[in-house]
């Protein structure tokens, strides 16, 4: 059966490839577009974690809208609205070359409504301050909520919240205090 359909599938595929990209995009079934959007949103959040751990601040900044609502109040402080450049600058100041970090997320749930989306995921962060001989580790587990907007450059983060569920180690490692 499949072999009988193969020539027809090849013709349809070639015809789709011959069309201009804007026409092909208009023909993407809604169910497929939903999956593509969910995949891109999950990819952006994971790529942000990787960029932060590699200390690639230019790349990290690229995943955000110009202004970002942040709420890390479960770690101290208050929710705020800040420029993405300032947010990434704060991370850069806290994640000095002497500090190692590892961020991981899992179990993402994405809810898309037109050109906005919310992703909830479980998160884990590990921080080690290499200048210390003892009490050099801090770990935290929790739940992230990211809000995204579809832009001409793709999905971008406009809001980020982390709710701590558990932490272990020396919390001063987070701030880099000696």
């Amino acid at each position: 059966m499949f072999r009988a359909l193969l020539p027809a599938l090849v013709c349809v595929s070639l015809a789709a490839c011959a069309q201009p990209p804007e026409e092909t995009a208009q023909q993407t079934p809604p169910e497929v577009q939903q999956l593509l959007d969910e995949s891109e949103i999950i990819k952006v959040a994971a790529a942000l974690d990787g960029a932060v751990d590699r200390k690639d601040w230019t790349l990290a900044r690229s995943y955000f809208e110009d202004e970002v609502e942040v709420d890390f109040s479960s770690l101290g402080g208050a929710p705020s609205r800040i420029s993405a450049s300032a947010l990434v600058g704060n991370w850069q100041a806290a994640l000095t070359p002497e500090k190692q970090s590892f961020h991981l997320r899992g179990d993402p749930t994405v809810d898309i409504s037109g050109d906005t989306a919310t992703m909830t995921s479980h998160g884990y962060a590990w921080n080690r301050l290499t200048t210390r001989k003892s009490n050099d580790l801090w770990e935290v587990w929790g739940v992230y909520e990211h809000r995204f907007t579809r832009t001409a450059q793709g999905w971008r983060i406009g809001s980020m919240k982390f709710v701590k569920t558990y932490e272990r180690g020396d919390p001063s490692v987070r701030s880099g205090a000696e």
Side-chain angles (χ1 to χ4, degrees):
M1 172 86 175
F2 179 73
R3 288 184 184 191
L5 291 175
L6 188 57
L9 290 172
V10 169
C11 288
V12 168
S13 296
L14 290 174
C17 292
Q19 294 177 2
E22 59 275 357
E23 289 181 28
T24 304
Q26 292 174 355
Q27 295 175 1
T28 303
E31 301 84 9
V32 173
Q33 189 60 53
Q34 175 83 15
L35 291 172
L36 292 171
D37 287 339
E38 287 178 6
S39 177
E40 182 64 22
I41 288 164
I42 292 167
K43 181 181 167 185
V44 167
L48 173 62
D49 290 342
V52 168
D53 290 338
R54 288 188 310 278
K55 298 176 179 27
D56 185 340
W57 307 117
T58 302
L59 183 60
R61 167 60 185 91
S62 75
Y63 296 117
F64 290 100
E65 295 178 31
D66 290 337
E67 295 284 320
V68 186
E69 291 182 32
V70 293
D71 183 352
F72 301 121
S73 56
S74 68
L75 298 172
S80 64
R81 185 159 185 81
I82 186 172
S83 76
S85 295
L87 173 64
V88 173
N90 290 343
W91 290 346
Q92 184 175 5
L95 291 168
T96 62
E98 298 80 30
K99 188 189 287 184
Q100 299 170 331
S101 69
F102 175 76
H103 292 81
L104 182 68
R105 75 182 60 252
D107 195 24
T109 302
V110 179
D111 181 31
I112 301 171
S113 179
D115 288 336
T116 61
T118 301
M119 184 184 87
T120 305
S121 60
H122 293 103
Y124 168 77
W126 175 90
N127 287 253
R128 178 172 177 252
L129 197 52
T130 60
T131 55
R132 290 188 179 177
K133 302 256 188 255
S134 63
N135 298 325
D136 62 340
L137 294 175
W138 176 73
E139 299 173 280
V140 64
W141 291 257
V143 177
Y144 280 105
E145 180 180 277
H146 289 79
R147 296 204 177 165
F148 293 81
T149 301
R150 186 190 322 261
T151 70
Q153 295 76 36
W155 289 96
R156 295 295 179 258
I157 301 167
S159 174
M160 187 174 180
K161 180 178 184 177
F162 181 76
V163 178
K164 174 181 72 175
T165 56
Y166 183 74
E167 71 180 313
R168 176 171 65 183
D170 186 343
S172 70
V173 170
R174 180 172 173 254
S175 66
E178 287 296 326

